[in-house]
Amino acid sequence: MTAFTHAIVRPPGANFAQGLTSVDLGKPDLGLALEQHARYCAALEQSGLVLTRLPADDRFADSTFVEDTAIVTDRCAILTRPGAASRAGEVAAIEPVLRSEFERTHAIVAPGTVDGGDICQVENHFFIGISERTNAEGARQLAAILAQEGFTSGTVDIREVNGILHLKSGISYLGDKRLVLIDALAGHAAFSDFTIVRIAASESYAANFLRINESVIVSAGFPQFASRVRAFGYPVVALDMSEFRKMDGALSCLSLRF
Ligand code: GLY
C-alpha cells in the first residue's frame, strides 16, 4: 500500500455555494463546511500526514476540491486540465506549490481534459475514468506520462453510469487487493484481478473514502460500510461531509495526498 506523508488542502472560500453541483441537496452552510474541513484536516494529521494548508481562493468557487487539479505520485506531479471551464484557473493557482514540492512535474494540455477525481491509483496502476470531465485525449496523455514514469494504467468509461460525477465517486482502494465499488462498476472487466467489496446502493456515497496509512477515513452516516471496513481489521474514522456532498464533493476531493 502506498505510504503517505504529506497532503495539500485548501478550505472553501466565501463563494463556496456558487460552485458546480449536480445534486439537489440544498445550499451548503459555509460555517459548517469550514468546521467539517477543519475536522478533515485534523483527521489527516492524526493519520500521520504533514499538511500544506493553502489559503481559501475566492476566485474559484470549487477550489476547495484540490484533488481535481493534479495527480500526485511518489515520482512526480501531473497538472491536470479540468473539464469544467469555471475550474480551469485552479491549476495555475496550485502549480507553484506543486513545483516546490515535486522535482518533476508534467501537464495535460489542450484539447485533453482530466479531473483528478477521475483517477484512482492502486499501487503502481492507475484507473483513468472517462467522464464528462475527463476526455479520451486527456486519458491518452495521462497514460503516456504515467508509462514514462514507470506506472501502468487503463481506462474505465463512466459516461453511462448514472449518479457519479467522477470515477472516484464510485470506487476506492481499501488495500490488500480489495476494491470497493458501487454496483454499476462491480462487473467491469478492469477490476477482475481484485477482491470486489460491493457497496449497498443506499450507501453509494460511501464508496469514496480514504485509506491513509493504517487508517480508513469514511463519510459518517453509512453504518453498513463502516462496519464492513472494521470487520476487515482497519481502524475507521468517520467524518461528516454533508456540506461538501451538497456541492458534489467527497473525502478524496478535499486533498492531494503523497
Ligand atoms: N463541485 C465540484 C465539481 O463539480 O467539480
Side-chain angles (χ1 to χ4, degrees):
M1 188 72 199
T2 310
F4 297 103
T5 55
H6 287 81
I8 300 170
V9 292
R10 189 192 289 287
N15 58 352
F16 178 53
Q18 273 88 61
L20 301 169
T21 189
S22 63
V23 293
D24 190 14
L25 296 173
K27 207 170 144 70
D29 175 320
L30 179 60
L32 184 53
L34 288 167
E35 282 173 29
Q36 291 177 352
H37 194 268
R39 285 196 283 272
Y40 176 86
C41 292
L44 295 185
E45 286 178 328
Q46 279 153 20
S47 304
L49 304 192
V50 174
L51 300 188
T52 299
R53 294 170 182 265
L54 306 180
D57 187 345
D58 290 339
R59 294 171 300 168
F60 304 110
D62 282 303
S63 57
T64 190
F65 301 121
V66 287
E67 179 179 61
D68 291 316
T69 62
I71 293 108
V72 290
T73 77
D74 59 355
R75 302 170 200 177
C76 64
I78 303 159
L79 297 159
T80 63
R81 191 166 172 273
S86 65
R87 302 198 60 187
E90 292 176 36
V91 175
I94 209 161
E95 182 174 350
V97 183
L98 293 170
R99 289 203 187 279
S100 71
E101 299 271 9
F102 290 85
E103 261 178 45
R104 228 172 22 258
T105 56
H106 305 268
I108 303 299
V109 296
T113 61
V114 171
D115 272 18
D118 279 319
I119 315 306
C120 179
Q121 182 175 5
V122 176
E123 310 294 354
N124 287 326
H125 185 77
F126 287 77
F127 294 111
I128 304 173
I130 307 283
S131 70
E132 285 184 12
R133 299 286 181 86
T134 296
N135 65 17
E137 170 58 16
R140 188 199 63 74
Q141 290 179 27
L142 178 59
I145 294 166
L146 290 169
Q148 187 185 324
E149 292 287 351
F151 294 109
T152 58
S153 67
T155 57
V156 181
D157 192 336
I158 63 161
R159 286 172 293 186
E160 302 294 320
V161 178
N162 282 331
I164 59 171
L165 173 66
H166 288 127
L167 178 64
K168 273 192 292 198
S169 316
I171 170 176
S172 300
Y173 185 52
L174 191 53
D176 308 306
K177 296 287 278 180
R178 294 186 180 112
L179 265 184
V180 175
L181 294 168
I182 57 169
D183 277 345
L185 292 173
H188 199 291
F191 309 127
S192 58
D193 288 347
F194 293 87
T195 304
I196 304 301
V197 179
R198 279 182 185 240
I199 204 141
S202 59
E203 295 206 336
S204 59
Y205 181 73
N208 182 288
F209 62 86
L210 293 173
R211 166 84 193 266
I212 306 273
N213 303 328
E214 296 313 309
S215 305
V216 179
I217 303 177
V218 301
S219 296
F222 303 97
Q224 287 179 48
F225 180 62
S227 29
R228 282 181 83 187
V229 176
R230 279 194 198 94
F232 285 128
Y234 305 107
V236 169
V237 178
L239 296 177
D240 187 356
M241 292 292 291
S242 63
E243 304 316 290
F244 297 101
R245 188 178 185 187
K246 290 173 182 172
M247 302 310 292
D248 262 336
L251 287 160
S252 73
C253 315
L254 292 180
S255 59
L256 283 163
R257 304 155 299 281
F258 53 102

